[in-house]
């Protein structure tokens, strides 16, 4: 087969064709160079855009980090409703007059009555000082004790009428075990060694101590009869039957309140949330988190225990600031939904909060001027009075099957 010729150079002299080929190759090389530069520039632009967007996002996140707020009543009207928001644009509730609950879910059963009675017998055990009794593991005993180190009493080492459960591990070393087999009225010496380390008081770590212990008696279960009720539960009843009925009535009311609260929670929803109000609730939640964190840290310290959280974020289970923002967002949306729902339900029921209602709330809950200044009237109405009045309304209109 004949070789296919390039028509561009056909008919040219050999020298001219060569010159044209060189010229075309240079032009192609130039085009390739320009194309390469264009691609490189595009890559650089893309990289710059990516990192620019990344840092822009980071800047935006930092600018929008939640800042704690203590202005609890901000964004609320004086009557506790949310300022500038029509809650019906956001929240979906239910027919407040159409709530139905099952009676079986509300009643306090006979089994629960017996459990309560046993708990009362435990709470009001009577001290038996009969010297023929013998202390065994699991007994609650009353003791006096005086602790010494090298013959000298030490701080925190003495008590009178101390109620100790033998085998609970409440006391150091084998203190409790050394009381097993003793009798009411016995005076015994208990020798122990403080653990090392000893967080409650590092100065005592590893040291030997001696306790002079007087066993005063053993707590025993009494009989649940009318006399027991009159002695220990007279604020509620005078007889066993009266107390059982008291349990059924009060727990029915408590179960009903809880069921209504749960019903409301399970039958409200929102497809969207008011952005500014949620942002405010995030700030309040951060304040609540910080107060809880500080309180728990102080409690652990007071009991000489290690509080293994270095920050609020860690305490709330967040690995970083972004995760904590997500936790705050979820908590704020939940609170927002709840607040909007109760406001909507109150409006449906025609519920309002009068000055008399607020004064009654203050008196019953011992609201001080300091607390009122801290939280504000609007927040207290929204957070406590409106929900309670809505629940009471539902309680009066609920159908029990």
């Amino acid at each position: 087969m004949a070789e296919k010729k390039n028509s561009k150079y056909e008919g040219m002299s050999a020298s001219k064709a060569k010159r044209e080929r060189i010229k075309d190759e240079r032009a192609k090389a130039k085009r390739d160079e320009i194309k390469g530069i264009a691609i490189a520039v595009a890559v650089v632009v893309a990289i710059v855009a990516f990192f620019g967007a990344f840092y822009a996002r980071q800047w935006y996140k930092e600018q929008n980090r939640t800042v704690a707020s203590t202005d609890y009543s901000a964004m609320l009207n004086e009557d506790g409703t949310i300022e500038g928001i029509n809650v019906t644009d956001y929240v979906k509730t239910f027919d407040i007059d159409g709530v139905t609950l099952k009676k079986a879910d509300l009643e306090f059963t006979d089994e629960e009555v017996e459990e309560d009675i046993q708990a009362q017998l435990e709470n009001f055990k009577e001290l038996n000082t009969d010297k023929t009794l013998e202390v065994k593991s699991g007994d609650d005993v009353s003791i006096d004790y005086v602790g010494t180190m090298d013959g000298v009493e030490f701080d925190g080492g003495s008590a009178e009428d101390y109620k100790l459960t033998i085998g609970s591990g409440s006391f150091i070393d084998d203190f409790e075990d050394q009381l097993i087999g003793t009798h009411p009225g016995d005076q015994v010496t208990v020798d122990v060694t403080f653990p090392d380390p000893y967080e409650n008081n590092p100065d005592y770590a590893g040291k030997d101590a001696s306790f002079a212990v007087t066993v005063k008696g053993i707590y025993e279960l009494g009989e649940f009869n009318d006399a027991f009720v009159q002695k220990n539960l007279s604020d509620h009843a005078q007889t066993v039957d009266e107390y059982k009925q008291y349990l059924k009535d009060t727990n029915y009311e408590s179960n009903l309140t809880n069921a209504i609260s749960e019903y409301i929670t399970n039958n409200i929803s929102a497809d969207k949330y008011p952005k500014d109000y949620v942002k405010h609730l995030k700030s309040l939640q951060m304040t609540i988190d910080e107060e809880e964190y500080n309180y728990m840290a102080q409690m652990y310290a007071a009991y000489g225990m290690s509080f293994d959280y270095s920050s609020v974020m860690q305490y709330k289970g967040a690995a970083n600031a972004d995760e904590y923002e997500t936790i705050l967002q979820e908590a704020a949306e939940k609170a927002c939904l709840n607040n909007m729902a109760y406001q909507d339900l109150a409006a449906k029921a025609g519920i309002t909060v009068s000055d008399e209602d607020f004064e009654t709330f203050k008196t019953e809950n011992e609201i001080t001027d300091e607390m009122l200044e801290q939280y504000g009237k609007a927040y207290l109405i929204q957070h406590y009075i409106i929900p309670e009045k809505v629940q009471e309304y539902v309680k009066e209109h609920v159908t029990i099957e």
Side-chain angles (χ1 to χ4, degrees):
M1 182 180 289
E3 181 180 352
K4 187 177 180 180
K5 294 183 179 180
N6 190 322
S7 59
K8 180 176 180 179
Y9 306 115
E10 187 177 354
M12 293 182 183
S13 65
S15 60
K16 184 177 180 181
K18 182 177 181 181
R19 287 195 302 270
E20 287 300 320
R21 285 191 181 95
I22 292 172
K23 181 181 176 181
D24 288 345
E25 289 173 358
R26 287 176 178 173
K28 182 179 183 299
K30 185 67 174 178
R31 288 195 303 271
D32 290 345
E33 179 182 358
I34 293 171
K35 184 179 179 181
I37 292 173
I39 293 172
V41 169
V43 171
V44 170
V45 169
I47 292 172
V48 170
F50 172 80
F51 282 103
F54 172 79
Y55 286 112
R57 288 194 298 271
Q58 293 301 110
W59 178 87
Y60 179 81
K61 284 182 180 180
E62 291 303 321
Q63 294 300 312
N64 288 275
R65 290 288 185 207
T66 301
V67 178
S69 170
T70 56
D71 191 355
Y72 286 87
S73 285
M75 299 193 69
L76 297 179
N77 299 310
E78 290 184 3
D79 62 356
T81 56
I82 305 168
E83 189 178 62
I85 292 175
N86 182 2
V87 295
T88 57
D89 291 339
Y90 298 92
V91 71
K92 298 175 183 177
T93 55
F94 52 88
D95 178 7
I96 195 169
D97 293 311
V99 178
T100 301
L101 298 174
K102 295 183 182 297
K103 186 176 181 180
D105 295 336
L106 307 175
E107 292 180 325
F108 198 63
T109 65
D110 291 340
E111 290 77 9
E112 289 173 316
V113 169
E114 290 305 316
E115 288 175 5
D116 182 277
I117 288 174
Q118 289 304 311
Q120 296 299 344
L121 289 172
E122 286 286 344
N123 290 338
F124 295 104
K125 281 183 174 181
E126 298 179 356
L127 189 66
N128 193 333
T129 59
D130 185 345
K131 295 184 178 182
T132 63
L133 297 175
E134 184 174 296
V135 175
K136 61 185 181 299
S137 182
D139 282 346
D140 292 330
V141 299
S142 176
I143 60 173
D144 295 340
Y145 61 87
V146 177
T148 59
M149 291 183 185
D150 298 325
V152 179
E153 292 185 28
F154 58 91
D155 292 338
S158 302
E160 294 182 352
D161 298 319
Y162 188 91
K163 187 176 182 180
L164 174 65
T165 301
I166 303 300
S168 65
S170 302
F171 280 23
I172 61 171
D173 205 2
D174 60 349
F175 185 106
E176 297 163 24
D177 291 342
Q178 294 183 54
L179 297 180
I180 293 175
T182 61
H183 308 274
D186 285 355
Q187 295 181 340
V188 297
T189 299
V190 175
D191 295 318
V192 297
T193 301
F194 280 91
D196 188 5
Y198 185 57
E199 294 182 353
N200 290 350
N201 191 329
D203 292 338
Y204 297 164
K207 293 186 176 181
D208 295 330
S210 182
F211 289 86
V213 180
T214 299
V215 180
K216 305 184 75 172
I218 301 173
Y219 288 97
E220 294 184 330
L221 294 176
E223 181 182 353
F224 196 81
N225 51 27
D226 290 349
F228 180 95
V229 172
Q230 291 164 14
K231 179 180 179 181
N232 302 300
L233 303 169
S234 60
D235 289 345
H236 309 306
Q238 293 297 313
T239 68
V240 170
D241 288 341
E242 286 179 4
Y243 182 72
K244 289 181 176 180
Q245 191 60 49
Y246 161 80
L247 286 178
K248 286 181 174 290
D249 292 343
T250 55
N251 282 283
Y252 179 89
E253 286 300 310
S254 177
N255 290 342
L256 178 58
T257 299
N258 292 336
I260 289 171
S261 178
E262 184 177 349
Y263 184 94
I264 292 173
T265 298
N266 293 337
N267 289 276
I268 57 177
S269 62
D271 295 327
K272 59 181 180 177
Y273 297 88
K275 182 178 179 181
D276 290 341
Y277 183 53
V278 168
K279 183 177 180 180
H280 169 63
L281 292 178
K282 286 175 68 176
S283 296
L284 292 185
Q285 186 61 48
M286 179 175 279
T287 296
I288 294 170
D289 289 350
E290 290 175 351
E291 291 176 347
E292 180 183 345
Y293 173 82
N294 291 331
Y295 173 79
M296 294 301 295
Q298 292 170 6
M299 287 293 293
Y300 272 67
Y303 285 95
M305 300 169 64
S306 176
F307 190 63
D308 299 326
Y309 302 98
S310 60
S311 68
V312 175
M313 285 193 301
Q314 186 185 26
Y315 175 69
K316 300 304 292 186
N320 51 51
D322 288 344
E323 285 190 13
Y324 185 47
E325 285 291 327
T326 298
I327 291 172
L328 289 174
Q329 181 73 22
E330 291 173 352
E333 289 182 358
K334 182 178 180 180
C336 180
L337 172 62
N338 192 68
N339 296 341
M340 292 192 301
Y342 273 104
Q343 181 176 322
D344 180 58
L345 293 170
K348 286 180 176 179
I351 293 172
T352 58
V353 179
S354 66
D355 291 339
E356 183 180 355
D357 290 332
F358 186 71
E359 290 303 317
T360 300
F361 167 79
K362 283 176 58 181
T363 301
E364 291 179 350
N365 294 275
E366 300 181 351
I367 303 298
T368 64
D369 291 341
E370 182 181 359
M371 293 169 65
L372 182 58
E373 182 178 356
Q374 178 181 358
Y375 294 104
K377 180 179 179 179
Y379 178 83
L380 294 175
I381 290 175
Q382 181 202 52
H383 206 64
Y384 297 102
I385 301 179
I386 290 177
E388 182 176 346
K389 288 175 76 73
V390 168
Q391 290 173 10
E392 286 301 314
Y393 178 92
V394 176
K395 187 181 294 186
E396 293 170 1
H397 295 78
V398 66
T399 298
I400 307 295
E401 295 181 335

